[in-house]
Structures are given as structure tokens and as C-alpha cells.
Amino acid sequence: MLHQISVMVHTPAHSGLGGALTYESNIIHAPGTLVRVPLGSRELLGVVWDNAPAHTATEIAAPLQLRAIASVLDGVAPLSVHWRHLVQFAARYYQRSAGEVALAALPSQLRDLTTEQWARRLKRKPKAVSAYEGATQTIPTPTDEQAQVLTDIAAHKGPFLLFGNTGSGKTEVYLRAAQAKLERDPQAQILVMVPEINLTPQLEERFRTRFAPQWGADCLVAMHSSLTPAQRLKNWLAAHSGEARIVLGTRMAVFASMPHLQLIVVDEEHDPSYKQQEGARYSARDLAIYRGQLEGAKVILGSATPSLESWHHSRPATAIEPAGRYMRLAMPSRVGQGALPLVRRVDMNRQPYKTVFSNHLLDAMRERVTRGEQILVLLNRRGYAPVLNCNDCGWKSECPHCSAYRVFHKLDRTLRCHHCGFTQPVPRACPSCGNLDISPLGRGTEQLEEHLAELLADVRRPDSEPIRIARIDADSTRLKGELERQLAEVHAGAVDVLVGTQMIAKGHDFRRVTLVAALNTDGALFSSDFRAPERLFSLLMQAAGRAGRDASMSLISPCEMWVQSFHTQHPLFEALKQHDYPTFAEQQLQEREQATLPPFSFQALVRAEARSQEAAQGFLNAARDAGAALADELLVDLYPAVPMTIQRVANIERAQMLIECTSRKALQHFLAHWQSDLHAMRSAHRQVIRWAVDVDPLAI
Ligand code: ADP
Ligand code: ZN
Ligand code: ZN
């Protein structure tokens, strides 16, 4: 007898098919089974799906009867109902096809290996569990705060927001909570997510050192985009089979197949990199909460500067309002008395015109370097200078393909567009008037590094060697392994002053840093992006957290964070000075509530790209008209289409339209129905190259 089987495949995003196709087979395959199926002239990887309303493969291809499943991928257990449910939810919530989400969540080699290669891959004997030969460790006794938090986690259902200062021992809490789960249940699996794994290479080591002695060196696998396809398949299979007890990964790991998942940790939960920025634009943090609920796994979100969403969700009950959905757990103290740095604000209005480092700051830096202490200088702009400028005619180094300036990179003397990548040698003279006097405007990390080398040329380290300055940013770490190498040098003390972008502020446990300086931060205070202050505050708090991690250093010289600003009295800096996230958050939340911005409303963006701005906006405004009646009914606000902040990239015009509603449910309802309007409008708007919906967008 022939059976009809739904199979989820990756159909093109705009086919409107939703991904599930019907095939026939003479045996029943359990939902979750991985199969290969024909589609047109190709053969695709697919996942047998629950009997979802499905389209037949013949609706796309010509033949009139159902086509047969080509083969089953042997040796892989079916994906669980929870996994399928998670995929289905993510697809619906983020307005993509389930097939796209499902297939993107699977390692590419499942798709790419031929049947023969797969058979060979399966024959490979699993290595005997390798004995662990790492360093032995002393496991610290929890502090009172850690013990209290662990008791709460054990006793309550969560989800938890672990609000712990930098250096308060959050990682130790994750380790202990994981340990408890592993010990209680011989199958339990744990998912630990971090924003960017290569920024914190020590973390993987810390987990491995802790768990390998008891559970073997293979108990932990990593999952992130810099693994090779073969590594990714290996790790995925280890998690899927239940062999790997711990998965440590970036946002993609939220879709890891883990049949016995019991605990999910989202470290630095506020970090924007948890939001996928292409394809299905999911938030791994939000999906983690959903997945935890779905599978009955506990979820811990951790941060010293939580996202305002999570902070709001974890609000305590008041006289008139019940508590939020999350349980807030606080760890205000740093372990080992390492003090938080004293924040010093330098009023740049009182400095001579064009001052880069105030004299006081320079003196403080010299003094510390002479004593053998390390310094971080944070400037969130890479390159030498953001613009090259002709002093005669006013020519600027605009990118011919984008509405942006090309950045001057001095090392290879190029003008490089950071949006489309267009690169040219720096012209000798002004391309517009021939003037030879063209000069950089503004300053990036490359120039700062050069400038500091001049300013500190006469300073000596305690060993009377000249001081060493290094720079870490996207340019200096382009080569594979370079970031790890540079970080190791900083850790080893080979670097005295580290200049860098936000990459240097995250998670590193630099022991000898006693001074952090932040330059040019004012832009974010008055940005049109309502999340800019939140991001700046968290960046500065994280950066401050790099200082004074070693209590014995702080005894010699109290650590400091210096902020140079033209607006030193701004409430953001006041809160920073007090290391007072709650006050900052309250003030921001009040502003958001008054303006009905998230978390007091829910947003989605539709972005459209076309050869002309008119075409892009035309599509969006037509979509707006099509949705107007339903939007009215559901109290959803549809704003008019506007150009994006960087309106043109690589000669493509970009426009966006904001959709807002105070009810998440109504917004979801609207989007689900409106999708078909958008798909249908495509044919009348041939000039639109692509469009996409971004639900809960991070940047507007
Ligand atoms: P966070 O993740 O909050 O920044 P960590 O967990 O990295 O903090 O802890 C900061 C430092 O304190 C680390 O060097 C860690 O080994 C140490 N530490 C954490 N908990 C304890 C403890 N209970 N006793 C002693 N040292 C601890
Ligand atoms: Zn000129
Ligand atoms: Zn460009």
C-alpha cells in the first residue's frame, strides 16, 4: 500500500508554499525522519513532518502523480516532536517557511554528502571516549550570593534573569547549575549560548576543564559558524544522539537537536548578536525562552546589563501590578573584593579644540603603564578616519555605490566602503579639483593607535622596554586565528595598551587591566535609534567590567574608567558613575512607556530593496494599503514607508516600513494574514529585488 507523507524541504522563500510537500512511500516513516526527496530535477534533503496541510510536489513540477521519497538517511534517529514544534513556531513567528528554518538548522553536510559518502561517514567508528588530560582545577566554594541564586534556581520554575555584576561569578553559577543537572540525570543535556564564541575562547576551556574529568573529554561540543562542515556534522550528531551532554554555541545552537535538554543558559543575554540578521530573523534569546517552556527545561538568562525587555519581564510585583514572567536573581557583589572602577568623566568642552586625550587622562595612562598595569582604550569606529576631505572644494570620500562615506585605511592606503566593500587606492589629489591638500576628518582606531604611539613614545615599562600598543578590531582580526592570538598576547601581558572597538569590551577576563578609557561616545546619546542609549550603557558597563578583575591589583592602584564627553551631565553617565543599571533601566523604561516603544509595544519592519527608492517605497505603500483594513480592525499601526538610514548600498535603494501594536498577539495575527498580500503583490512590483519582514527588529 502507498502512503502519503509530508516532507519539509527548503522551498524558495517567496514560493509561498510553506515548505511541506507530499510524497508517497510504501512504508510509513516516523515524523522527524531525514529523507531525500526529488523536487523538479534536483534531490533535496527533507524532514518527514507531522501531517501538516501540505502541497504536492506536483504543484511545482509537471507530473500528475505524487513522487516517491528517494531514500532515507540511515543511522540518524528522527528529530523529536519538540524540535519540529520549535521550528514550526519560529517559522510562524518570524514569518518564514518552516522548511527554510528546518533545513537551515541542520548541518550542511547532511544535505551535501552523497549517499555513498554518507554510508562511509556512518561506518567511521566512533572513537572510544577519550580520557581527559587537561589541567586539574580547584572548584571554588560558592559565595553566599551564588549559593542563594542556585537555591532559587533549583526551587523555582523560571525562566530566570540572573542580574549579576561583571565579575560577580555568573559563569560559576552556570557551571554549578549544569553540574547539578548532569549529576541528577545520567542523560540530561545542557545548552549554553554565548554571543560570539571566538571573543571568549577561555569559556569553552572553563566548561571542559570542569566537566571532562567526570564525563569525559567528549562531553562537550561547540556549535558556531566558524566550525568546518565536517566538525559541525560531528558535533551535531553528538548532540542529537545524546552523547554530548553539553552544547556550547552561538545563536544557531538554539536549534540544536538535543533529545534530553534540561537546562538552557543564555550568557550576556542583552547582546544584539543573538538576533539573526538575515533569512529567518530570529532572536535566539527569545526562542530559548520558548524552547525551555516547550521542553520543560529551565532557562537562565544572564547579564550585568540586561536588555530592557528582559528587565521589564522580570519586574517584581507592585501594589497594583503582578510580577513579570521571569524571576529576577541578583548578584550585586564582585567575587574576591575586586572593586568596580571609579568612573571619571572628562568634560571635553573645557579641553582645547581637537583634543583627543585630555592631559589628565594621558598622565594617568603614563603612570599606570610605568607601573606595569594594562590599559584599554575603547573607540567604536575602525579604520584610520571615517572620511577623507578636500579642504578647498569640500569633496568627501563618498562611496559611489552607497549613501555613505568610504573610510580611510592608512595601512594599505585605501578608501574602503564598510557597507558594500568597494575599495580604491587613496587618490593623490582631490578627484574633484586637483588640490593636493586632502586630509582625514575624524578618527578611527587605526589613527588612535598611531597617535598613542607618538604620545607615549617616551614611556617605559617596569622592565625599561618601550611600551607595546596593540589594536583589536574587525580589520586587525580578519585572518583566522588572529583574534585568538592577539587576545592571548594581551593575557600574557605582552601588550600594555590595547586600542579597540567593542570587541575588546566583551567578556574577557584581562587580569592586569586597571584603566579603561572610552572616547567619542556622544553619538549614541542623541541617536534616532531608541535603543542606542541602552547599547552604549551596556558597552560602557561591560568595558568598565574589564578593569579591576584582580583584587590584588586594585589594592596597589584603584582601577578607573575614564569617559570623555561633551555631555558629562547626561543621566546615562550619572548612572554609569554609580554602576547603577537599575536606575538607568527605570529611566529608559519610563521614556519607552511614554512613547509606547518596546517593551510596551511590539514592532515589525518590512524592508524592501529595489533599483529606485520610488519602487521600494511604492511596494511598501501598496502593502500598507492592502493591509489597512485589517490593521485598523486589530489596532495595528502601519507607518508610511521611509528610506533606510543608509538608503543606498551597492547601488540598491532600501526602504522600510514600521508596524507597531501594543498586543503581540494582534501583531502576529496581522502579519500572518498580511503575508499572502505581500506575496501576491510581488508580480505587480517587478522592480522590487527582495523584501523581508523583521519581527522584533533590533535596529530601526
Ligand atoms: P562573571 O561571569 O559574572 O563575569 P565569573 O564567573 O567569570 O564572573 O567569575 C569572575 C572570577 O571570579 C573568575 O575568575 C572566577 O573563577 C572567580 N570566581 C567565581 N566564583 C567564585 C567563588 N565562589 N570563589 C572564588 N572565585 C570565584
Ligand atoms: Zn577638491
Ligand atoms: Zn559602498
Side-chain angles (χ1 to χ4, degrees):
M1 179 181 158
L2 284 177
H3 303 274
Q4 298 204 348
I5 310 248
S6 297
V7 178
M8 210 46 104
V9 292
H10 186 180
T11 48
H14 292 298
S15 66
L17 284 176
L21 301 177
T22 304
Y23 288 87
E24 63 179 26
S25 158
N26 41 25
I27 49 168
I28 292 185
H29 297 289
T33 305
L34 288 167
V35 292
R36 285 183 210 284
V37 292
L39 185 70
S41 57
R42 293 179 304 158
E43 198 171 282
L44 302 178
L45 178 70
V47 185
V48 174
W49 217 252
D50 315 71
N51 263 329
H55 298 260
T56 63
T58 55
E59 282 175 34
I60 308 177
L64 283 164
Q65 81 263 46
L66 289 185
R67 303 179 74 177
I69 286 177
S71 61
V72 172
L73 238 74
D74 297 323
V76 192
L79 290 150
S80 72
V81 61
H82 287 146
W83 187 86
R84 301 195 305 276
H85 193 128
L86 175 70
V87 162
Q88 192 92 48
F89 170 81
R92 200 171 53 231
Y93 188 83
Y94 294 104
Q95 310 291 318
R96 304 296 287 200
S97 81
E100 178 189 6
V101 176
L103 274 296
L106 297 173
S108 61
Q109 281 205 339
L110 284 179
R111 194 176 63 215
D112 298 340
L113 293 185
T114 62
T115 315
E116 297 75 53
Q117 286 171 321
W118 180 246
R120 242 178 290 142
R121 173 71 182 69
L122 279 182
K123 264 191 232 132
R124 211 180 291 164
K125 293 237 160 36
K127 268 190 295 166
V129 173
S130 28
Y132 181 70
E133 290 159 11
T136 49
Q137 47 159 356
T138 44
I139 299 178
T141 315
T143 61
D144 290 348
E145 285 178 5
Q146 286 170 333
Q148 181 58 51
V149 160
L150 285 162
T151 310
D152 286 336
I153 291 173
H156 297 271
K157 197 159 157 276
F160 305 96
L161 175 66
L162 176 55
F163 170 51
N165 232 321
T166 48
S168 63
K170 292 186 290 299
T171 312
E172 186 58 33
V173 168
Y174 309 150
L175 288 163
R176 290 245 168 202
Q179 174 112 14
K181 287 282 181 202
L182 294 178
E183 279 172 356
R184 179 114 45 85
D185 175 346
Q187 289 194 308
Q189 290 182 297
I190 290 145
L191 171 61
V192 180
M193 287 199 283
V194 293
E196 283 158 88
I197 238 161
N198 41 1
L199 283 183
T200 44
Q202 320 112 294
L203 192 69
E204 183 174 343
E205 199 41 42
R206 216 166 139 191
F207 270 81
R208 211 180 283 283
T209 317
R210 179 66 60 91
F211 295 119
Q214 199 169 346
W215 284 284
D218 306 324
C219 70
L220 179 146
V221 296
M223 229 172 252
H224 51 86
S225 56
S226 29
L227 296 178
T228 64
Q231 285 169 329
R232 202 170 150 211
L233 176 64
K234 180 165 171 265
N235 294 355
W236 185 88
L237 286 170
H240 178 62
S241 68
E243 261 162 66
R245 307 290 304 279
I246 304 164
V247 171
L248 181 65
T250 51
R251 61 172 179 262
M252 63 157 72
V254 77
F255 288 110
S257 167
M258 300 175 74
H260 307 289
L261 183 63
Q262 294 203 2
L263 174 68
I264 307 178
V265 172
V266 184
D267 191 25
E268 309 291 359
E269 65 89 33
H270 62 276
D271 198 294
S273 43
Y274 283 118
K275 185 88 161 59
Q276 168 80 12
Q277 294 296 351
E278 57 193 35
R281 291 165 164 78
Y282 63 85
S283 155
R285 177 195 63 213
D286 297 351
L287 285 181
I289 297 281
Y290 181 83
R291 186 172 185 180
Q293 210 169 34
L294 186 68
E295 309 208 23
K298 288 198 180 180
V299 180
I300 308 175
L301 310 179
S303 177
T305 52
S307 64
L308 289 174
E309 281 82 1
S310 300
W311 188 250
H312 182 64
H313 289 321
S314 66
R315 64 195 177 277
T318 65
I320 45 167
E321 259 201 318
R325 294 183 285 134
Y326 303 174
M327 184 172 181
R328 191 184 292 168
L329 307 171
M331 296 204 301
S333 319
R334 273 191 151 183
V335 176
Q337 315 305 312
L340 282 167
L342 174 72
V343 176
R344 311 190 60 158
R345 294 166 289 180
V346 181
D347 185 353
M348 295 308 277
N349 295 299
R350 301 193 182 179
Q351 300 294 322
Y353 182 58
K354 286 199 162 174
T355 297
V356 182
F357 290 92
S358 65
N359 281 330
H360 286 316
L361 173 55
L362 261 187
D363 289 344
M365 289 171 68
R366 287 165 190 275
E367 215 175 277
R368 285 176 190 260
V369 171
T370 313
R371 283 201 301 257
E373 298 166 25
Q374 286 176 309
I375 291 169
L376 297 188
V377 181
L378 178 70
L379 176 66
N380 224 354
R381 178 188 268 161
R382 66 195 168 92
Y384 191 84
V387 195
L388 211 55
N389 172 60
C390 168
N391 299 321
D392 255 12
C393 75
W395 171 87
K396 289 190 173 55
S397 55
E398 257 163 302
C399 175
H401 310 297
C402 306
S403 48
Y405 294 116
R406 280 175 299 164
V407 175
F408 173 37
H409 289 259
K410 191 172 179 187
L411 191 67
D412 54 3
R413 297 206 65 82
T414 56
L415 290 179
R416 222 183 286 159
C417 174
H418 287 184
H419 301 280
C420 73
F422 181 65
T423 304
Q424 277 186 324
V426 170
R428 272 174 216 293
C430 170
S432 167
C433 74
N435 171 25
L436 291 175
D437 183 21
I438 46 177
S439 56
L441 273 188
R443 200 176 300 273
T445 44
E446 196 185 353
Q447 187 175 167
L448 200 66
E449 179 189 14
E450 181 186 281
H451 188 61
L452 260 181
E454 286 162 16
L455 291 173
L456 302 177
D458 56 329
V459 182
R460 291 286 174 274
R461 293 157 50 108
D463 57 8
S464 36
E465 292 288 315
I467 68 158
R468 273 166 280 183
I469 302 177
R471 168 168 58 93
I472 291 187
D473 55 29
D475 297 316
S476 76
T477 56
R478 200 161 303 211
L479 297 176
K480 196 169 162 57
E482 197 52 24
L483 176 64
E484 289 81 352
R485 194 188 63 73
Q486 292 183 3
L487 287 175
E489 273 191 0
V490 181
H491 281 291
V495 168
D496 304 294
V497 181
L498 177 62
V499 175
T501 55
Q502 38 91 20
M503 287 172 91
I504 63 171
K506 294 193 180 176
H508 313 292
D509 199 0
F510 297 134
R511 305 307 293 185
R512 281 174 48 229
V513 170
T514 64
L515 189 150
V516 177
L519 312 185
N520 284 11
T521 58
D522 288 351
L525 299 176
F526 307 101
S527 165
S528 61
D529 182 346
F530 68 88
R531 283 195 176 85
E534 176 184 355
R535 275 197 296 267
L536 175 62
F537 188 79
S538 114
L539 176 64
L540 294 178
M541 285 280 278
Q542 296 289 332
R546 297 316 110 215
R549 294 181 76 85
D550 190 339
S552 60
M553 294 290 304
S554 325
L555 289 181
I556 312 166
S557 55
C559 54
E560 290 175 352
M561 166 154 206
W562 290 60
V563 180
Q564 296 193 151
S565 167
F566 287 94
H567 307 273
T568 49
Q569 301 307 310
H570 195 284
L572 188 148
F573 295 129
E574 291 289 341
L576 181 72
K577 191 169 172 59
Q578 310 298 330
H579 304 283
D580 187 355
Y581 170 82
T583 298
F584 171 74
E586 272 340 301
Q587 173 252 323
Q588 284 287 310
L589 282 172
Q590 265 175 28
E591 281 181 22
R592 299 246 188 123
E593 188 165 19
Q594 275 159 16
T596 332
L597 287 168
F600 302 96
S601 69
F602 301 90
Q603 298 181 324
L605 273 183
V606 199
R607 300 200 178 91
E609 299 185 357
R611 286 285 166 207
S612 75
Q613 189 58 227
E614 215 184 344
Q617 291 191 23
F619 171 77
L620 294 175
N621 284 327
R624 184 165 177 246
D625 293 341
L630 182 61
D632 256 7
E633 195 183 309
L634 291 167
L635 302 180
V636 169
D637 286 327
L638 299 179
Y639 289 85
V642 292
M644 286 178 62
T645 317
I646 297 176
Q647 167 174 342
R648 190 168 48 104
V649 169
N651 292 322
I652 307 273
E653 290 286 337
R654 314 184 313 160
Q656 67 180 32
M657 183 171 117
L658 178 65
I659 307 158
E660 212 171 51
C661 184
T662 51
S663 150
R664 193 196 286 274
K665 220 171 137 198
L667 179 62
Q668 278 289 315
H669 185 83
F670 172 77
L671 291 174
H673 284 78
W674 192 46
Q675 271 292 325
S676 52
D677 290 339
L678 285 167
H679 285 292
M681 281 171 36
R682 203 75 218 281
S683 52
H685 293 264
R686 294 258 170 233
Q687 281 176 309
V688 171
I689 298 164
R690 60 179 88 82
W691 58 271
V693 180
D694 187 349
V695 181
D696 304 331
L698 276 191
I700 295 199

